[in-house]
Amino acid sequence: MSVRPILIRGGRVVDPSQGLDRPMDVLLADGTIARLGDDLDAPEGAEVMDAGGKLVTPGLIDVHVHLREPGGEHKETIASGARAAAAGGFTTICAMPNTEPAIDTAAAVGFVMAEGQRAGSTRVLPVGCLSKGRAGQELAEVGEMVDAGAVAITDDGSPVMDSGLMRLALEYSLNFGIPVADHPEDVGLSRDGAMNEGLVSTRLGLRGKPNASEDIHIVRDLLLAEFTGGHIHLQHVSTAYGVEAIRQAKARGVQVTAEATPHHLILTDEAVEGYRTEAKMNPPLRTAEDRDAVREGLRDGTLDTLATDHAPHHYDEKEAAFDDAPNGIVGLETSLGLVLTHVVGEGLIDLSIMVERMSLAPAQAFHLSGGTLAQDSVADVTIIDPDLEWTVDPKTFLSRSSNTPFAGWTLKGRATTTIVDGRVVWSL
Amino acid sequence: MPIQDPIVVMDEEAILRALARMARELVEKNAGHEGLTLMGIQRRGIQLAQRLKEEIENASSRTIPAGILDITLYRDDLMAIGPKPVIGETVLPPGGIDGRSVVIVDDVLFTGRTARAALNELMSWGRPSRIYLCVLVDRGGRELPIQPDVVGREVQVVENQQVEVMVPELDGRWSVEIVTLPLEAA
Amino acid sequence: MSHEGSPLGKDLVGIEPLSADQIRMILDTAEPFKEISKREIKKVPVLRGKTIVNLFFEASTRTRVSFEFAEKRLSADTVNISSSGSSVVKGETLVDTAKNLEAMAIDMVVMRHGASGSAKFLADRIPSNVVNAGDGRHEHPTQALLDMLTIRDNLKTLEGLKVCIVGDILHSRVARSNIYGLLKVGAEVAVCGPQTLLPFDIGSLGVHVFRRVEEAIEWADVLNVLRLQLERMKGGFIPSLREYNRFFGITNQRLEAAGKDILILHPGPMNRGVEIDSDVADGDQQVILDQVTNGVAIRMAVLYLLAGGRPESAEAAKAGGAA
């Protein structure tokens, strides 16, 4: 089905891959960026969009998203997650494999690919399991999964406790040119913890997960990446020590990329006050010192990708005592607004760096197409209204779940149009 | 290091004359050409065998099969020496050696050990009906009870002397020479 | 007349200690021994009266049989001792074994043992000649020599040739010996396999590393395809045999895609359909049966070059060994 060309006129093009941050017109045709320039003519039959006052960026990419299909469709499906992503301005999301059954074979990867395509919305790229069944024992059939479309491997939501297995995964990934993503956590230390171990947990009488439980695995992963030459992608970094360790490893030339989530950039463990399960996730919200270190890491590029760790859970599950509630919050539909308001808006980074962290760097880390508006690249574009004020109302989410601590927050800045492969998949 | 110039006991003319005579002797000993097969021993026996083959063929317009014998693996001193000798190729004559009158051809007969090794090797290949030993030079000094059937020339030497046969393909000339070495080097 | 290049010494414990000249000497010496295997009576008296013990701590039919043929064709008396060693403490056994062999005045020992370095261990402790038939993951010198001979037979040279070893390099003594040998004689060497089965910093031995077998095939004149032990899957180094064949298997399709002649070697025994497909194993470019034939010749050459030859008798022999 051929799509009409689209001319996006008069927007502020922010494309760090080309060093661009100025008003320009963008012409999309045949699924690719046909031209960027000033005062472009609309070809015949083209749809013309007026982007005056808006930002025009390469499509946003979220490399850490939990879609609950197969096995948890009441929380989210591939289709509902893709649509939620589109509403959040994302043109590509990478789906984590901790479904039931887990995505550990070429067939399962193929299923996710097919369902994503069927949804016809944001591009869904599968991440395969690192170990068979996510059991943490034997390597999964990485080659077959990559051949079927997987872009990385991970055992997320679980860590890889066996360092020998992580070593093998980093080595084996070299044959297939993919990163190994890790959820760094030493469960021996974090066992039974429900939140950050700190003053707040002491007051609330909740068991905590100490920073060390994350730091130990971050350092282990960095050492193994250095030793094997493989590419480690550290997920949802939340500790000050962790950020510094990554900074030093990068300086040594270790192949590492790392994520920061919007919630770890904004909230601290104080958000748990009142036993609010919508502030319960893994890794937990930590102290102000950790949050500030994560912010600094995002600023200087130590944490080069911004990812949501979108983790939908049904209302019923989160309506439980704090210890019993599952970990995770949704994030696809709030990420951009939160970042524009509380990261860019507070002067930590400028728009160019924001686009780098949310589009270019994720594309580079996972070897994806996109992340750029260069001519002939894929026509994945996000149009953003930076001045639009809106209030977060989970009832209006396209996601099937609404577990978020940001309900009621007023944010400034929102995606208004999301274009994938030159087709509008969502519009405000 | 030789202490004097080599003494030439046979020059080219003498050698070729001798070979012509030896060729006729072989045919005579064999009572004809039937089954005659020449086996030259590496390395200089090969040239001599080749020359004998030509002589016999020219005189009779028959084809005489010829082969090459390398006796290295049958030497009785193999385990005593240090670096092992290079093993040359052994090539059986067309038609093999079974039932044939095989002539072992070598340059110099001395202790008889090379001839003994050649006999053992031939017998491991098959069963010739007869074996003759044909040498250009017999210098005496046997250590085994082995005697030649056809000889080019008998040469008397003493302990510190060696008899060397030169052939065109390896040395550029036909020549039989006595080389005298200092006593301690012998 | 003797070989240039020093003699081999008392033992053959590996390729690493050898010079390029010594390697060539062994290959050249094997040529006439090939011919003996074609005779009606496949025997020469070279090692008559010598006793050789085949000491195999690891099960191996093909290597042991190959050595046995070599020994018997040289007229040696052979004794086979095999021990699976499961109930025995390895180090202790080796020392006792050495002492027993010395007491029995065995002339030569051919040993295969599961511990890297065990061949040298034995060689240092007994006066017999010791030939390493495989020590742990360290070396398998006669295999590398027969591989080089086979390559040389088919491609006329070794210098400047591009040889890629494909498979489980990490656990392979065949790979190590081949790498040392080929580099010494001037070939270019590469390895290719799952990274989990490549040893640390293998590139520093002087070899290229290919991550995809297609790249290796495009580069190479010769592929030496290693057997994938099924235990590797249990050890977690690869997720499945199917995946190994899919991404690292030598298939006709991959060879045809390269569109050039490549010599295929395999030390055997083959796992058909895993590291090598049947149509390649039985096809035109493989020389696997030549390797077996050359194996006997190489082992005869090695035993011939090592046997006897005590330097002090060399002078005496020179005088008495004349015609």
Side-chain angles (χ1 to χ4, degrees):
Chain A
M1 182 184 75
S2 85
V3 177
R4 297 164 62 193
I6 299 177
L7 178 61
I8 306 170
R9 208 172 240 162
R12 176 180 166 192
V13 169
V14 182
D15 182 4
S17 76
Q18 299 183 85
L20 292 173
D21 182 358
R22 65 179 182 79
M24 288 178 90
D25 295 347
V26 183
L27 176 64
L28 313 177
D30 298 318
T32 62
I33 311 283
R35 272 193 74 190
L36 273 99
D38 299 297
D39 301 316
L40 298 182
D41 290 321
E44 201 176 309
E47 182 185 338
V48 180
M49 288 182 186
D50 176 16
K54 299 212 176 93
L55 310 173
V56 178
T57 74
L60 305 181
I61 298 175
D62 189 351
V63 295
H64 193 153
V65 176
H66 292 274
L67 305 174
R68 304 300 192 191
E69 189 178 1
E73 289 83 354
H74 56 296
K75 310 191 212 201
E76 196 81 281
T77 64
I78 293 171
S80 68
R83 285 192 289 269
F90 292 99
T91 55
T92 297
I93 55 174
C94 296
M96 294 295 112
N98 60 330
T99 50
E100 279 154 50
I103 311 294
D104 66 349
T105 60
V109 168
F111 169 76
V112 175
M113 294 283 293
E115 284 301 299
Q117 267 154 29
R118 217 156 60 86
S121 185
T122 295
R123 191 177 293 106
V124 178
L125 298 177
V127 174
C129 287
L130 184 152
S131 63
K132 288 181 184 157
R134 276 183 65 243
Q137 305 283 331
E138 298 171 34
L139 275 178
E141 289 182 311
V142 177
E144 299 252 358
M145 291 193 294
V146 170
D147 213 51
V151 296
I153 52 172
T154 186
D155 271 354
D156 183 63
S158 310
V160 176
M161 284 306 291
D162 184 342
S163 299
L165 177 62
M166 177 53 83
R167 178 238 173 106
L168 290 173
L170 282 165
E171 286 178 327
Y172 200 51
S173 71
L174 287 170
N175 291 99
F176 304 101
I178 53 160
V180 176
D182 189 37
H183 166 118
E185 181 181 352
D186 182 333
V187 295
L189 279 174
S190 66
R191 193 191 342 252
D192 298 331
M195 63 174 293
N196 181 47
E197 181 159 348
L199 191 55
V200 179
S201 70
T202 296
R203 275 197 356 258
L204 293 179
L206 288 170
R207 273 193 293 266
K209 299 179 193 237
N211 282 24
S213 64
E214 183 172 334
D215 296 334
I216 286 174
H217 269 224
I218 288 179
V219 172
R220 177 205 73 175
D221 287 350
L222 292 170
L223 289 171
L224 288 177
E226 191 166 14
F227 174 66
T228 61
H231 172 183
I232 187 79
H233 177 81
L234 288 163
Q235 296 174 315
H236 44 53
V237 178
S238 74
T239 66
Y241 186 94
V243 173
E244 180 58 24
I246 296 167
R247 187 176 284 125
Q248 288 177 16
K250 282 190 172 179
R252 287 200 309 273
V254 176
Q255 269 214 85
V256 49
T257 50
E259 293 168 5
T261 66
H263 44 279
H264 289 108
L265 288 163
I266 296 169
L267 300 173
T268 68
D269 53 1
E270 311 245 329
V272 176
E273 200 69 57
Y275 300 93
R276 298 172 62 220
T277 61
E278 58 270 26
K280 181 179 182 183
M281 77 287 289
N282 194 18
L285 300 168
R286 303 215 191 253
T287 64
E289 188 197 328
D290 294 310
R291 180 208 45 200
D292 292 341
V294 171
R295 287 173 79 89
E296 177 56 23
L298 186 80
R299 190 197 69 74
D300 75 2
T302 299
L303 305 178
D304 37 57
T305 55
L306 206 142
T308 62
D309 194 8
H310 175 89
H313 288 293
H314 196 269
Y315 174 81
D316 289 341
E317 296 167 283
K318 282 286 205 178
E319 266 291 284
F322 198 86
D323 276 326
D324 302 327
N327 284 309
I329 61 171
V330 291
L332 285 170
E333 294 170 86
T334 51
S335 174
L336 179 61
L338 286 168
V339 173
L340 283 168
T341 311
H342 292 286
V343 182
V344 176
E346 289 175 16
L348 182 70
I349 56 175
D350 63 19
L351 286 169
S352 226
I353 299 205
M354 183 194 84
V355 175
E356 210 182 304
R357 302 283 183 266
M358 292 184 79
S359 184
L360 179 59
Q364 286 172 337
F366 279 55
H367 313 294
L368 309 174
S369 56
T372 173
L373 292 175
Q375 190 163 342
D376 298 329
S377 44
V378 66
D380 289 354
V381 182
T382 307
I383 303 177
I384 303 167
D385 186 340
D387 301 313
L388 179 58
E389 283 197 12
W390 60 291
T391 306
V392 177
D393 180 6
K395 291 199 209 55
T396 66
F397 282 174
L398 295 190
S399 166
R400 284 198 177 179
S401 297
S402 49
N403 48 321
T404 174
F406 300 109
W409 283 42
T410 303
L411 301 176
K412 186 172 173 196
R414 194 172 184 180
T416 56
T417 308
T418 306
I419 299 171
V420 175
D421 264 335
R423 251 179 352 102
V424 175
V425 297
W426 180 83
S427 183
L428 186 56
Chain B
M1 272 281 92
I3 58 174
Q4 64 191 59
D5 286 336
I7 305 165
V8 178
V9 292
M10 290 176 84
D11 63 9
E12 175 165 342
E13 211 190 317
I15 291 173
L16 296 179
R17 251 202 325 265
L19 286 171
R21 186 258 308 157
M22 287 158 73
R24 289 196 300 276
E25 238 183 277
L26 279 171
V27 177
E28 192 193 339
K29 279 227 149 69
N30 195 51
H33 299 88
E34 198 58 46
L36 259 187
T37 303
L38 299 169
M39 291 292 278
I41 293 186
Q42 290 274 15
R43 294 191 296 165
R44 286 172 173 73
I46 302 174
Q47 249 63 69
L48 293 167
Q50 194 59 34
R51 187 76 200 178
L52 286 170
K53 174 177 148 75
E54 281 163 20
E55 290 286 342
I56 299 175
E57 286 175 351
N58 289 344
S60 69
S61 47
R62 304 265 206 139
T63 310
I64 305 292
I68 299 173
L69 207 55
D70 181 283
I71 55 106
T72 308
L73 295 175
Y74 289 80
R75 289 173 63 149
D76 58 14
D77 60 350
L78 253 192
M79 291 300 114
I81 53 185
K84 293 296 186 297
V86 180
I87 307 167
E89 57 171 352
T90 291
V91 181
L92 285 193
I97 57 167
D98 282 345
R100 306 192 67 89
S101 305
V102 176
V103 183
I104 299 173
V105 181
D106 203 5
D107 53 351
V108 178
L109 176 58
F110 180 17
T111 60
R113 293 180 190 275
T114 298
R116 193 279 317 156
L119 280 170
N120 276 87
E121 181 163 2
L122 275 179
M123 299 306 270
S124 81
W125 277 106
R127 191 179 186 279
S129 60
R130 271 218 66 149
I131 299 179
Y132 299 103
L133 178 59
C134 170
V135 296
L136 182 63
V137 174
D138 179 355
R139 65 163 277 180
R142 266 342 149 258
E143 290 173 3
L144 299 175
I146 289 196
Q147 302 308 330
D149 296 291
V150 173
V151 182
R153 178 175 302 195
E154 284 175 13
V155 171
Q156 302 269 25
V157 285
V158 294
E159 229 179 71
N160 64 326
Q161 288 178 321
Q162 284 176 3
V163 180
E164 292 186 359
V165 172
M166 311 292 172
V167 299
E169 280 79 354
L170 291 172
D171 315 296
R173 65 188 188 284
W174 285 111
S175 174
V176 176
E177 299 171 8
I178 296 176
V179 172
T180 310
L181 301 166
L183 271 160
E184 65 274 9
Chain C
M1 198 243 296
S2 309
H3 281 282
E4 270 98 58
S6 46
L8 287 188
K10 180 172 85 72
D11 315 290
L12 180 66
V13 295
I15 301 283
E16 208 181 355
L18 299 179
S19 68
D21 279 342
Q22 286 173 313
I23 292 173
R24 285 186 208 109
M25 172 175 72
I26 300 172
L27 300 185
D28 292 342
T29 305
E31 291 292 346
F33 283 112
K34 278 192 213 174
E35 167 267 305
I36 291 168
S37 298
K38 299 198 187 103
R39 298 184 189 180
E40 184 88 9
I41 299 177
K42 301 173 181 35
K43 241 189 211 315
V44 288
V46 175
L47 293 184
R48 198 185 51 212
K50 302 284 182 194
T51 311
I52 306 184
V53 169
N54 293 325
L55 195 55
F56 276 64
F57 288 87
E58 277 183 351
S60 154
T61 308
R62 57 180 51 216
T63 304
R64 209 206 71 226
V65 165
S66 180
F67 268 104
E68 227 186 302
F69 277 176
E71 292 151 13
K72 288 185 151 96
R73 286 177 192 175
L74 295 175
S75 303
D77 296 323
T78 68
V79 174
N80 291 321
I81 302 178
S82 60
S83 146
S84 44
S86 56
S87 56
V88 179
V89 175
K90 282 183 178 171
E92 193 179 35
T93 303
L94 210 38
V95 169
D96 279 339
T97 304
K99 291 180 180 164
N100 285 332
L101 291 172
E102 197 182 345
M104 290 191 280
I106 304 291
D107 295 296
M108 308 181 82
V109 177
V110 174
M111 183 172 81
R112 169 171 285 194
H113 193 283
S116 300
S118 48
K120 183 153 197 330
F121 181 93
L122 190 70
D124 287 347
R125 282 160 181 74
I126 54 174
S128 324
N129 305 109
V130 173
V131 179
N132 182 8
D135 64 328
R137 310 204 303 198
H138 179 228
E139 288 230 41
H140 190 358
T142 56
Q143 180 71 42
L145 289 163
L146 74 88
D147 287 344
M148 285 189 275
L149 183 62
T150 308
I151 296 172
R152 197 175 77 166
D153 284 349
N154 282 278
L155 299 179
K156 305 298 171 238
T157 181
L158 287 164
E159 198 177 333
L161 269 195
K162 298 189 175 135
V163 182
C164 185
I165 308 170
V166 182
D168 179 0
I169 313 291
L170 181 62
H171 299 94
S172 173
R173 50 193 172 215
V174 171
R176 282 174 183 72
S177 291
N178 262 289
I179 290 171
Y180 298 139
L182 289 165
L183 288 175
K184 281 178 202 273
V185 298
E188 261 189 81
V189 183
V191 294
C192 177
Q195 191 73 18
T196 48
L197 292 173
L198 295 185
F200 178 76
D201 208 13
I202 185 78
S204 292
L205 287 185
V207 306
H208 308 292
V209 178
F210 289 114
R211 297 252 159 82
R212 307 305 298 253
V213 77
E214 292 84 3
E215 292 166 13
I217 291 173
E218 207 187 301
W219 173 86
D221 300 314
V222 180
L223 291 179
N224 198 336
V225 185
L226 299 180
R227 168 184 160 75
L228 182 76
Q229 313 268 41
L230 303 188
E231 302 88 82
R232 299 308 160 229
M233 202 181 93
K234 297 203 185 82
F237 294 94
I238 52 165
S240 67
L241 299 182
R242 182 189 65 210
E243 172 143 316
Y244 183 86
N245 177 261
R246 179 97 191 275
F247 294 98
F248 300 98
I250 306 302
T251 64
N252 239 354
Q253 204 176 13
R254 291 199 159 110
L255 293 176
E256 271 162 21
K260 60 171 189 181
D261 288 331
I262 306 185
L263 205 64
I264 310 283
L265 275 70
H266 191 300
M270 296 185 278
N271 287 316
R272 287 165 179 267
V274 180
E275 70 266 5
I276 188 168
D277 278 2
S278 275
D279 45 11
V280 175
D282 300 325
D284 298 328
Q285 307 201 70
Q286 56 81 19
V287 286
I288 296 169
L289 293 174
D290 289 358
Q291 286 174 277
V292 177
T293 311
N294 287 340
V296 179
I298 283 284
R299 285 158 182 144
M300 289 172 85
V302 166
L303 293 168
Y304 165 72
L305 289 168
L306 287 178
R310 285 164 189 70
E312 55 277 12
S313 16
E315 284 306 305
K318 274 196 211 139

